[in-house]
Amino acid sequence: MSFETLSMENADGICTVRFTRAQAGNAINAAFIAELSAVVDACAAADGPSVLVLHGSAEVFCAGGDFQATAASDVVEDPAPLYELWQRLATGPFIAIACVRGRVNAGGVGLVAACDIVLAESTASFALSELLFGLFPACVLPFLVRRVGVQKAHYLTLSTQAISAAQALEWGLADGVADPVEDALRKHLLRLRRLNKAAVGGYKAHMAGLAGLEAAKPAALAANRTMFSDPAIRAGIRRYVAERKFPWED
């Protein structure tokens, strides 16, 4: 398989994905969603890899949605494919691991929160910036709340401030911090790669029923569509892309 936004390597039951849009902050666009979805489909197959490892770049894991693409089009993107990608990461019959270096923002937090295990380097940071643009992270919240609880997700949303890797570990958004992150990954893979894939699939299907991600989906998608259909919000995004000014700035 050839990709535009990522690279993939399979070896010994482990699928390693590296995002390759570093110049764009590994931002999430339609191609990114489609390509990562194809990888997830392959991992979900009975004969597919049992572990999926996601890497960003040294300075940014994922900066969230692609504002450049949003500003360049009047079309409101359907949020369902992204939500469903995260849902399959959270519920699929494989172990999804995010290895985080650098910055994680907005939809990048959703991607991380959807993974089963999050390992980070000490310089990593995590932020929800949506309210700066008159948005809120409707699709991120079901996955984030599952990890950190309602109040911490509420605080991240309202503050729009980044938290450190150490804070993310304390809150449960990260499961381990190590420099380099590969040290923690190697230790985890010693056992994770040996777990029975069918057992993992059964366990995650059971957990999916407890997490309520499917029940949260209609409201999350409806809120996202409403916000991104607002002309004032879209104008603010275009201005930020063109002038790097927030909506309230003169």
Side-chain angles (χ1 to χ4, degrees):
M1 300 173 71
S2 61
F3 301 102
E4 296 177 6
T5 69
L6 54 85
S7 66
M8 180 184 70
E9 178 184 351
N10 281 315
D12 300 322
I14 301 168
C15 177
T16 301
V17 168
R18 299 183 187 278
F19 307 145
T20 58
R21 300 189 73 218
Q23 74 287 352
N26 294 318
I28 300 167
N29 61 8
F32 181 99
I33 295 169
E35 291 176 0
L36 188 53
S37 294
V39 173
V40 168
D41 287 344
C43 292
D47 60 349
S50 59
V51 180
L52 170 62
V53 181
L54 305 180
H55 292 272
S57 53
E59 295 183 355
V60 58
F61 179 81
C62 176
D66 190 340
F67 269 13
Q68 294 280 352
T70 300
S73 173
D74 291 326
V75 176
V76 177
E77 293 291 337
D78 183 3
L82 181 57
Y83 191 98
E84 289 162 4
L85 168 60
W86 293 344
Q87 195 171 5
R88 284 186 290 153
L89 283 169
T91 63
F94 51 85
I95 301 166
I97 304 174
C99 287
V100 180
R101 300 173 187 80
R103 184 166 55 94
V104 187
N105 186 56
V109 174
L111 177 58
V112 163
C115 290
D116 300 302
I117 296 174
V118 179
L119 306 175
E121 292 194 347
S122 60
T123 54
S125 65
F126 304 79
L128 295 177
S129 61
E130 286 89 341
L131 275 176
L132 297 174
F133 301 94
L135 305 164
F136 66 88
C139 291
V140 172
L141 287 170
F143 299 90
L144 183 60
V145 166
R146 184 181 70 132
R147 270 196 162 266
V148 305
V150 172
Q151 180 55 36
K152 290 182 174 65
H154 183 55
Y155 175 79
L156 277 173
T157 301
L158 288 177
S159 73
T160 71
Q161 295 292 319
I163 62 170
S164 67
Q167 187 75 68
L169 180 64
E170 181 180 337
W171 286 10
L173 180 53
D175 301 298
V177 176
D179 295 314
V181 71
E182 283 83 3
D183 288 349
L185 177 62
R186 278 191 294 271
K187 291 177 182 178
H188 280 76
L189 289 177
L190 290 174
R191 288 201 176 195
L192 293 176
R193 64 194 295 270
R194 299 185 183 279
L195 298 181
N196 179 274
K197 185 169 183 176
V200 169
Y203 161 68
K204 288 185 67 175
H206 175 76
M207 283 295 289
L210 301 178
L213 296 176
E214 184 63 30
K217 181 179 175 181
L221 298 185
N224 184 282
R225 292 179 181 120
T226 297
M227 288 184 289
F228 279 94
S229 296
D230 187 323
I233 288 175
R234 296 184 72 84
I237 291 172
R238 290 192 179 97
R239 182 171 181 256
Y240 180 79
V241 168
E243 304 177 26
R244 283 292 184 257
K245 290 184 177 180
F246 290 108
W248 65 85
E249 294 182 303
D250 292 333

